[in-house]
Amino acid sequence: MVALVLVFAVGWVMVLLTAANDIRYDPQNPSDRGAEAIASVLAAEGVTVHRVTNVPDAVEQSGADTAVLVSDPRTLSSDRLRELASGTRGSARLILVTPAPAQLAEAFDLPEEVTYFPGPTASGQCELPWGSGLSMPPNSVGYTLPDGAAGCFTKDGASAAYEVPASSDRPALLVLGSKNVLTNSTMKSGDNAALGLRALGQNRQLVWVSGGFDGNSPAAQDASVWPKWIGPALWLTLAACLLLMFWRGRRLGRLVTEPLPVIVPANETTVARGQLYRHARDTVRTAAVLRSATRSRLATYLGVPPGAARDALIHQVAVHTGRDEREVAALLTDDPRPLDETTLSRLAENLSALERQARR
């Protein structure tokens, strides 16, 4: 029973670590910080979403009618972003959501000056068809508009979204200035859902880069030193210890069936009862108790039903131990003949050896 519970607990933890996750802005993360909601709607609208965790897989999945999305550019270094852009230059566009200004300058030679819009930003004279008539949510990042770029949600020369045309070494580059267009917790606010669906759903295929780790990325500088599985592992260890304590604490059952006049520690009760048997020289009763306990444990371990005949138990024990059935029957069957203490001690050792052999 304990083993079954432990196996179930391990399986439950593995499911948590593989199917759903706690990676921010990930299409398989159902938490508030995840992006499972918008990924599911995109799939329902006919957009095939491919989640990848590294640049080579993203390059392999990219194509002419494919957009490549990096939902958290801080997890990639500028060199990896440049490699991703070069490898996917045959795709429709590369989408970056709130990249660090230094990444735009280092990877794509784009302006790194930014400003912040505390309130909603209207589309205004929007040059991006998908943004027309919508508003970017509060606390968006406004990026300085590069030469030749089409901007939207523009204020004071900074745009919360812009797209740079494709070049020989990269596809068209779309920069979005708010994570609220992705996260589950903000999907129902303002125009966030419409913004996300329109910006990410322009092509039939969407390659979503998420969950990888780049040691040279900005995120690596403030990443936790503990691996993400340490929390579930500690909880699993604690649960296993509690189950072990419960199992070991209850394994003997009630030592004496008669009600006791006072509370006596279990070990003292066991020793005292053994001494009573010894003083009474009731070796027949002692042998019967030893045999009965052994039969009960063997029946439980071998799966013999409680009401089954004793011959069925003897047969199963003989099969599992390789011993002759007559030898097993002699050990497990009660014998009314009196025994001396030496014979009783030998019987206890033989029963213990039989039980160990059956459990191998």
Side-chain angles (χ1 to χ4, degrees):
M1 181 63 181
V2 174
L4 181 61
V5 173
L6 288 177
V7 169
F8 175 78
V10 171
W12 176 71
V13 171
M14 292 303 297
V15 167
L16 288 180
L17 292 176
T18 55
N21 58 60
D22 60 353
I23 300 171
R24 292 184 298 177
Y25 323 118
D26 189 275
Q28 295 178 353
N29 184 353
S31 71
D32 288 347
R33 300 188 307 169
E36 185 182 61
I38 191 171
S40 300
V41 177
L42 284 169
E45 293 293 328
V47 178
T48 303
V49 179
H50 303 279
R51 178 184 181 272
V52 298
T53 59
N54 55 68
V55 170
D57 287 347
V59 172
E60 182 180 352
Q61 294 282 355
S62 64
D65 194 14
T66 302
V68 180
L69 168 67
V70 183
S71 54
D72 192 5
R74 283 174 48 83
T75 60
L76 296 177
S77 65
S78 298
D79 291 338
R80 298 298 281 175
L81 280 176
R82 191 183 304 111
E83 179 186 346
L84 175 64
S86 176
T88 60
R89 58 184 177 273
S91 60
R93 59 180 47 82
L94 173 62
I95 306 174
L96 304 180
V97 185
T98 63
Q103 291 180 303
L104 293 176
E106 295 170 2
F108 307 108
D109 197 24
L110 295 174
E112 59 178 320
E113 293 78 14
V114 299
T115 187
Y116 295 93
F117 302 145
T121 308
S123 58
Q125 299 296 321
C126 185
E127 300 175 300
L128 300 173
W130 58 265
S132 180
L134 303 177
S135 295
M136 191 64 79
N139 302 313
S140 300
V141 181
Y143 296 90
T144 300
L145 196 63
D147 294 336
C152 194
F153 314 106
T154 303
K155 183 188 296 184
D156 299 329
S159 297
Y162 71 75
E163 183 167 319
V164 182
S167 65
S168 60
D169 58 351
R170 60 164 174 76
L173 179 64
L174 174 59
V175 177
L176 299 178
S178 177
K179 288 287 200 304
N180 289 343
V181 302
L182 294 180
T183 54
N184 299 323
S185 61
T186 56
M187 275 294 96
K188 295 181 180 180
S189 301
D191 294 331
N192 293 337
L195 287 168
L197 293 173
R198 289 188 187 183
L200 306 185
Q202 300 179 73
N203 303 97
R204 297 180 61 185
Q205 307 278 335
L206 179 64
V207 177
W208 195 311
V209 183
S210 175
F213 182 78
D214 185 342
N216 297 319
S217 66
Q221 307 308 316
D222 54 7
S224 171
V225 298
W226 301 104
K228 65 180 182 180
W229 51 261
I230 194 68
L234 290 175
W235 281 110
L236 180 60
T237 303
L238 176 61
C241 291
L242 292 176
L243 287 171
L244 180 63
M245 292 167 60
F246 177 80
W247 170 55
R248 296 296 294 176
R250 299 287 297 175
R251 66 189 179 91
L252 293 176
R254 190 170 179 177
L255 294 173
V256 178
T257 58
E258 299 86 356
L260 299 176
V262 293
I263 298 177
V264 182
N267 62 330
E268 293 184 15
T269 306
T270 305
V271 172
R273 191 171 188 185
Q275 289 174 346
L276 287 174
Y277 279 135
R278 184 173 185 181
H279 289 317
R281 298 189 179 277
D282 191 359
T283 56
V284 175
R285 171 62 178 166
T286 304
V289 170
L290 290 174
R291 287 186 169 109
S292 176
T294 303
R295 288 195 302 266
S296 178
R297 290 192 296 269
L298 287 173
T300 301
Y301 180 75
L302 298 178
V304 179
R310 187 170 300 176
D311 291 342
L313 174 63
I314 292 173
H315 175 72
Q316 289 296 325
V317 173
V319 170
H320 281 77
T321 60
R323 296 194 184 191
D324 186 78
E325 289 193 15
R326 289 173 295 182
E327 179 185 357
V328 175
L331 286 174
L332 297 181
T333 303
D334 294 333
D335 189 345
R337 293 175 297 180
L339 300 81
D340 56 32
E341 292 190 1
T342 302
T343 306
L344 181 63
S345 176
R346 188 181 307 113
L347 172 64
E349 293 175 356
N350 291 337
L351 289 174
S352 179
L354 178 68
E355 190 172 348
R356 288 196 304 270
Q357 190 175 3
R359 290 177 178 269
R360 289 177 182 173

